[in-house]
């Protein structure tokens, strides 16, 4: 095809496009100690055990990555190429570029003028996991990975299976046996090898480690490799673009492993260095399920890290993370932002899903519903003023879940 409808640009990236700039990735820095690593080599966790965070030559990036001057670029998340990892053409299905919906009817029902929903259900494989896995698989392919593997509560596995198929790299997934059937169907369709595990995602992680004793598989477990954060951070870049340079007052984020929250917090710092925004930051609100709320408990206790949650249960499988590797980073971002963390019940999530559907025609995942349930609680407690700009994250489609009995 020709012109604006060339296949590669429709999918979000075209290496022949002079607007497609190069990555300015510089170093991988430990999020806890002072060690740094070379992004051109295989890198997972720091030797101290903490996640690595990518840093870029932002003064160089700022010369071409100018807010308001990106009009000729792809609408996918690769429009921020300078602050994304990977050497060449990305492994992309057009992820990112999702709508920021002004939720007028829902806002009116809650007494808010400026309520927005970042609707991540529009991503390939129906969730924002596409962003993280597209970035991770792009780098894994650059580094010559021969097999990709992950434990997953559902959406991460679907996205990994899809990007693995696209890159032509075999995928092994470890899924809890209670995961809803559509996630198994998706993994099968994309040709992934799936192992069902009795237990939680933590048990799946242990099963993966046992199946991969030499570490020969490229393990994309949450925060083990540094690049899923880079994909998910692009939500914040998009929101700032979609709000014409404004920074929302409050962002309400459903938190499992916390990749998106950590990534967006990092993105705001990058955007300040790039000259896109000033010092203002949103108050970051972390929402968890009442049946699995390790971050909420740690915040309330004033702790720097979160104790693992015992007997975790919720139908929002993306929130069923009893112990997050990046707990200290989530807690730090929430505290530094002046935000908070709170838990909502499965019943409240389900009611919120129905309200989002009825008032805004959004078929939200329960995790997305949790953000609305949290907003209601925060408004009731006077923690959010009616004049404030609030962004909810609907992180995935509701189509893959079955409603609680
Ligand atoms: C994975 C997932 C989450 C949690 O995301 P994190 O960034 O790991 O906290 C929330 N919602 C959905 C739909 C998910 O798939």
């Amino acid at each position: 095809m020709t012109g604006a409808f060339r296949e590669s640009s429709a999918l979000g990236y075209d290496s022949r496009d002079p607007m497609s700039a190069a990555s300015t990735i510089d170093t991988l820095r430990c999020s806890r100690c002072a060690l740094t690593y070379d992004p051109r080599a295989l890198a997972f966790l720091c030797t101290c055990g903490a996640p690595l965070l990518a840093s870029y030559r932002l003064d160089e990036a700022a010369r071409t990555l100018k807010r308001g001057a990106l009009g000729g670029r792809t609408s996918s998340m690769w429009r921020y190429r300078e602050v994304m990892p990977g050497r060449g053409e990305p492994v992309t299905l057009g992820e990112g570029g999702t709508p920021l919906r002004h939720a007028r009817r829902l806002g009116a029902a809650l007494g808010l003028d400026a309520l927005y929903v970042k609707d991540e259900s529009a991503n390939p494989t129906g969730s924002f996991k596409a962003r993280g896995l597209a970035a991770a698989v792009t780098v894994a392919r650059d580094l010559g990975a021969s097999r990709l593997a992950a434990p997953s509560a559902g959406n991460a596995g679907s996205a990994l299976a899809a990007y693995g198929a696209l890159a032509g790299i075999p995928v092994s997934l470890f899924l809890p046996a209670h995961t809803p059937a559509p996630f198994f169907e998706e993994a099968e369709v994309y040709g992934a090898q799936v192992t069902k595990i009795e237990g939680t995602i933590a048990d799946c992680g242990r099963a993966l480690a046992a199946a991969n004793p030499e570490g020969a598989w490229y393990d994309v477990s949450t925060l083990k490799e540094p690049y899923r954060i880079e994909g998910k951070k692009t939500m914040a870049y998009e929101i700032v673009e979609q709000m014409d340079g404004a920074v929302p007052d409050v962002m309400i984020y459903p938190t499992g492993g916390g990749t998106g929250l950590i990534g967006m917090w990092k993105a705001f710092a990058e955007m300040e260095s790039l000259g896109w925004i000033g010092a203002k930051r949103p108050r970051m609100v972390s929402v968890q399920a009442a049946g699995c709320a390790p971050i909420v408990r740690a915040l309330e206790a004033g702790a720097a890290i979160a104790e693992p949650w015992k007997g975790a249960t919720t139908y929002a499988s993306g929130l069923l993370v009893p112990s997050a590797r990046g707990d200290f980073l989530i807690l730090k971002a929430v505290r530094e932002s002046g935000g908070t963390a709170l838990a909502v019940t499965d019943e409240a999530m389900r009611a919120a899903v129905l309200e989002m559907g009825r008032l805004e025609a959004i078929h939200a995942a329960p995790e997305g519903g949790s953000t609305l349930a949290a907003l209601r609680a925060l408004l009731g407690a006077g923690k959010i003023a009616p004049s404030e700009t609030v962004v909810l994250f609907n992180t995935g489609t509701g189509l893959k879940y079955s409603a609680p009995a």
Side-chain angles (χ1 to χ4, degrees):
M1 290 213 266
T2 56
F5 297 101
R6 276 189 314 229
E7 186 197 28
S8 48
S9 60
L11 283 180
Y13 190 81
D14 184 346
S15 62
R16 294 161 297 178
D17 178 354
M19 296 299 292
S20 295
S23 175
T24 65
I25 192 164
D26 194 17
T27 318
L28 296 169
R29 289 180 200 286
C30 177
S31 56
R32 190 157 56 203
C33 73
L35 288 180
T36 61
Y37 296 80
D38 183 349
R40 287 164 301 187
L42 269 183
F44 291 94
L45 296 169
C46 180
T47 50
C48 83
L52 301 179
L53 298 174
S55 69
Y56 299 85
R57 296 183 299 277
L58 292 175
D59 39 355
E60 183 185 324
R63 284 183 228 136
T64 48
L65 191 63
K66 293 191 166 76
R67 190 188 66 78
L70 304 177
R73 296 195 183 194
T74 165
S75 61
S76 83
M77 68 174 192
W78 298 97
R79 72 200 265 103
Y80 313 112
R81 192 71 189 89
E82 291 91 332
V83 292
M84 292 292 283
R87 281 198 287 269
E89 206 166 314
V91 179
T92 179
L93 293 164
E95 54 290 336
T98 58
L100 182 67
R101 293 267 310 274
H102 187 178
R104 290 191 181 81
R105 297 184 67 210
L106 190 54
L110 294 164
L112 284 174
D113 280 339
L115 176 63
Y116 295 84
V117 178
K118 184 68 170 157
D119 192 4
E120 290 291 302
S121 67
N123 277 300
T125 67
S127 89
F128 70 162
K129 290 294 195 302
R131 296 180 188 259
L133 274 310
V137 172
T138 291
V139 178
R141 188 197 52 186
D142 282 354
L143 296 172
S146 59
R147 179 172 286 274
L148 304 162
S152 170
N155 281 314
S158 301
L160 180 60
Y163 290 97
L166 188 66
I169 307 172
V171 170
S172 291
L173 299 177
F174 295 78
L175 267 60
H178 60 69
T179 305
F183 293 107
F184 287 102
E185 164 69 9
E186 236 182 333
E188 186 186 350
V189 164
Y190 295 126
Q193 185 191 23
V194 181
T195 309
K196 255 190 213 188
I197 302 293
E198 291 300 331
T200 68
I201 188 159
D203 301 304
C204 293
R206 282 187 280 275
L208 193 173
N212 181 32
E214 312 284 307
W217 300 350
Y218 194 97
D219 181 351
V220 301
S221 301
T222 303
L223 300 198
K224 252 194 193 165
E225 59 72 55
Y227 301 110
R228 285 172 62 181
I229 287 183
E230 297 306 294
K232 279 199 182 167
K233 79 178 180 185
T234 57
M235 291 188 289
Y237 279 86
E238 287 177 15
I239 289 167
V240 167
E241 269 203 275
Q242 287 167 319
M243 293 192 156
D244 290 325
V247 172
D249 297 308
V250 181
M251 301 207 313
I252 306 186
Y253 183 82
T255 311
T259 324
L261 194 148
I262 296 165
M264 288 194 286
W265 189 244
K266 175 177 188 284
F268 283 109
E270 291 175 359
M271 284 188 274
E272 187 174 359
S273 299
L274 291 167
W276 282 33
I277 60 169
K280 179 180 170 180
R281 296 289 183 274
R283 305 202 296 285
M284 308 291 276
V285 176
S286 166
V287 189
Q288 298 204 293
C292 183
I295 299 297
V296 178
R297 188 171 63 186
L299 193 83
E300 284 168 359
I305 59 164
E307 294 300 323
W309 191 272
K310 291 207 179 70
T313 169
T314 169
Y315 94 112
S317 51
L319 305 186
L320 202 56
V321 182
S323 171
R325 189 179 297 282
D327 55 356
F328 66 106
L329 297 172
I330 302 168
L331 288 161
K332 199 162 147 256
V334 167
R335 287 191 177 111
E336 280 176 14
S337 76
T340 188
L342 73 165
V344 300
T345 63
D346 280 17
E347 293 71 40
M349 282 183 221
R350 177 63 185 165
V353 164
L354 295 176
E355 198 174 11
M356 275 195 186
R358 190 163 45 82
L359 293 181
E360 296 295 340
I362 292 171
H363 187 173
E367 295 86 346
S370 78
T371 64
L372 174 56
L375 172 60
R376 213 176 255 296
L378 293 169
L379 284 168
K383 296 236 174 87
I384 294 177
S387 60
E388 292 193 293
T389 301
V390 177
V391 176
L392 306 180
F393 290 85
N394 174 36
T395 44
T397 173
L399 280 173
K400 303 184 202 176
Y401 299 75
S402 20

